[in-house]
């Protein structure tokens, strides 16, 4: 009996057409759907905190527990901003004064920095940039640019969209159990047992990855903020926070070496510190924090198996990100986990058929 019948081929073609239509629709509505998907991801991460608040109020009201969760997170973020914003502003002013002093010729440059600046001037000729600001280009920019009123409306709409994200998060937290049950009802009854096994496997992997990696990233954020502050790096707190956020994606935290090196270079223009010495101290912070997170915290929090290979994670982020943009990067890991779990369970290692 042939496997590829006309009926199977038509089902495959229709399925691919539906998948392509869904991807096109999500790309078309990406600006509208982005706050919702961000809210779903944040609500998923905040679910343990909602359960904790439910225990505090003895399970009287999930809505009250969700509101308390939003208040807790807002209070923590507000306290962090209140405590560290003055020092961040001071560091920005200090770096700005250094750059201004160098540009005005008031600040004497060490020989090492003069060599770097000569290299930049030689290989990145500023005259090539001037052509971007001739009359033709300015007229083109003005013709394509929007009015001040339109730009103001865009800013207001962007602010409202992210305020809408907070509302999404609140409603998703309140109705989280109903949403999970509703997802189960979407699956046809015929395929529900098989599909729910895959869903439970994916949920287990996602719990281990997102929430476990989230705790590790929080620890890394504390280590990097503390380490950068100890070595005297300007903007230590913002850079530590950025490293911690990027820690959610394997190896992406090393991207921050470039802005850290730039900050060290600008700071060294004042003559108070040496560029290579300051950069070496920051690299020591990277090595120390990474060793603590990788060899002490991660094995105890997540076990030695993260559930997905880092190379697979990066590939899935690249593929789904290219297909659906930021939304694709948000849903990349769950969708990839579903595909891998289904393949391992039903294709690579199918259950043996029962013999009569």
């Amino acid at each position: 009996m042939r496997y590829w019948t006309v009926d199977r081929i038509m089902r495959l073609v229709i399925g691919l057409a539906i998948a392509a239509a869904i991807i096109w629709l999500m790309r078309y509505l990406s600006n509208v759907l982005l706050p919702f998907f961000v809210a779903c991801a944040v609500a998923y991460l905040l679910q343990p905190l909602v359960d904790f608040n439910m225990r505090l109020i003895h399970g009287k009201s999930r809505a009250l527990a969700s509101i308390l969760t939003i208040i807790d997170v807002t209070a923590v973020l507000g306290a962090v901003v209140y405590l560290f914003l003055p020092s961040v502003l001071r560091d920005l002013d200090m770096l700005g004064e250094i750059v201004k002093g160098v540009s005005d010729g008031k600040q004497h440059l060490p020989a090492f920095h003069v060599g770097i600046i000569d290299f930049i001037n030689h290989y990145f000729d500023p005259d090539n940039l001037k052509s971007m600001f001739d009359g033709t280009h300015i007229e083109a920019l003005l013709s394509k640019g929007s009015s001040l009123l339109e730009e103001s409306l865009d800013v207001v709409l962007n602010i409202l969209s992210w305020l809408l994200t907070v509302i999404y998060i609140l409603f998703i937290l309140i109705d989280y159990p109903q949403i999970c049950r509703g997802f189960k009802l979407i699956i046809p009854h015929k395929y529900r047992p098989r599909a729910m096994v895959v869903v439970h496997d994916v949920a287990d992997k996602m719990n281990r990855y997102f929430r476990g990696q989230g705790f590790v990233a929080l620890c890394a954020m504390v280590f990097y903020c503390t380490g950068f502050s100890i070595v005297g790096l300007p903007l230590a707190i913002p850079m530590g926070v950025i490293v911690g956020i990027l820690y959610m994606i394997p190896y992406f935290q090393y991207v921050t070496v470039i802005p850290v090196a730039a900050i060290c270079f600008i700071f060294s223009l004042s003559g108070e510190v040496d560029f290579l010495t300051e950069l070496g101290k920051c690299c020591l912070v990277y090595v120390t924090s990474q060793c603590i997170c990788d060899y002490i915290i991660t094995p105890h929090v997540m076990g030695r198996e993260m559930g997905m290979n880092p190379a697979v994670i990066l590939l899935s982020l690249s593929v789904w990100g290219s297909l659906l943009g930021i939304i694709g990067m948000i849903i990349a890991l769950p969708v990839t986990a579903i595909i891998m779990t289904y393949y391992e369970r039903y294709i690579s290692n199918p259950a043996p058929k029962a013999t009569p």
Side-chain angles (χ1 to χ4, degrees), residues 78 88 202 242 298 313 320:
V88 171
V202 172
I242 293 173
T298 299
I313 294 174
W320 289 102

Side-chain angles (χ1 to χ4, degrees), residues 17-249:
I18 293 175
I22 292 174
I23 292 175
W24 176 83
L25 185 62
M26 292 182 69
R27 287 181 64 91
Y28 182 76
L29 299 175
S30 59
N31 293 333
V32 178
L33 295 176
L34 180 59
F36 177 75
F37 280 98
V38 171
C40 291
V42 174
Y44 175 80
L45 294 175
L46 294 180
Q47 195 57 35
L49 185 56
V50 176
D51 295 336
F52 175 76
N53 286 326
M54 284 285 289
R55 290 192 296 268
L56 286 181
I57 62 176
H58 304 289
K60 295 180 179 179
S61 172
R62 186 173 181 86
L64 178 59
S66 301
I67 294 174
L68 289 176
T69 300
I70 299 296
I71 294 175
D72 293 340
V73 174
T74 304
V76 171
L77 294 178
V80 170
V81 172
Y82 177 79
L83 290 174
F84 296 108
L85 184 60
S87 63
V88 171
L89 294 178
R90 285 196 301 269
D91 290 341
L92 286 174
D93 290 339
M94 182 265 293
L95 294 176
E97 289 297 328
I98 293 175
V99 174
K100 183 179 179 181
V102 171
S103 60
D104 293 342
K106 299 178 181 179
Q107 185 72 36
H108 176 70
L109 293 179
F112 177 75
H113 300 90
V114 172
I116 294 178
I117 293 176
D118 290 341
F119 175 84
I120 295 175
N121 290 333
H122 183 267
Y123 290 98
F124 301 94
D125 188 3
D127 292 336
N128 295 331
L129 302 177
K130 294 180 181 179
S131 61
M132 297 176 59
F133 299 99
D134 58 10
T136 305
H137 285 81
I138 292 177
E139 292 177 1
L141 290 174
L142 289 177
S143 63
K144 294 181 180 179
S146 58
S147 64
L148 179 61
L149 179 60
E150 291 176 342
E151 294 178 357
S152 301
L153 288 176
D154 289 339
V155 172
V156 172
L157 290 176
N158 287 330
I159 294 174
L160 290 177
S161 67
W162 291 109
L163 289 177
L164 184 62
T165 304
V166 179
I167 300 175
Y168 279 144
I169 294 173
L170 178 60
F171 287 131
I172 292 172
L173 289 175
I174 293 174
D175 296 329
Y176 191 83
Q178 291 81 358
I179 292 174
C180 293
R181 287 194 293 268
F183 175 78
K184 179 180 178 181
L185 296 176
I186 294 175
I187 305 172
H189 189 273
K190 179 181 178 181
Y191 305 103
R192 191 172 299 169
R194 176 183 295 184
M196 292 311 299
V197 172
V198 176
V199 170
H200 289 317
D201 288 345
V202 172
D204 178 65
K205 289 184 178 180
M206 291 299 100
N207 286 339
R208 281 192 296 153
Y209 178 79
F210 277 115
R211 290 170 183 164
Q213 188 74 359
F215 179 78
V216 176
L218 181 61
C219 295
M221 186 183 300
V222 174
F223 293 148
Y224 278 99
C225 289
T226 304
F228 287 152
S229 300
I230 292 175
V231 301
L233 178 72
L235 303 177
I237 303 301
M239 291 310 305
V241 171
I242 293 173
V243 173
I245 293 174
L246 293 179
Y247 207 92
M248 290 293 294
I249 306 174

Side-chain angles (χ1 to χ4, degrees), residues 292-304:
I292 295 175
C293 292
D294 289 349
Y295 298 111
I296 298 178
I297 298 178
T298 299
H300 286 83
V301 173
M302 304 176 64
R304 298 192 178 276

Side-chain angles (χ1 to χ4, degrees), residues 231-310:
V231 301
L233 178 72
L235 303 177
I237 303 301
M239 291 310 305
V241 171
I242 293 173
V243 173
I245 293 174
L246 293 179
Y247 207 92
M248 290 293 294
I249 306 174
Y251 310 121
F252 265 45
Q253 66 270 24
Y254 297 118
V255 176
T256 57
V257 173
I258 298 175
V260 167
I263 293 174
C264 291
F265 178 75
I266 296 174
F267 188 34
S268 64
L269 293 178
S270 63
E272 298 179 2
V273 297
D274 181 70
F275 169 66
L276 294 178
T277 302
E278 189 70 13
L279 183 60
K281 292 178 180 179
C282 292
C283 291
L284 182 61
V285 172
Y286 277 94
V287 173
T288 304
S289 302
Q290 203 66 31
C291 289
I292 295 175
C293 292
D294 289 349
Y295 298 111
I296 298 178
I297 298 178
T298 299
H300 286 83
V301 173
M302 304 176 64
R304 298 192 178 276
E305 180 61 39
M306 292 178 57
M308 293 180 65
N309 188 285

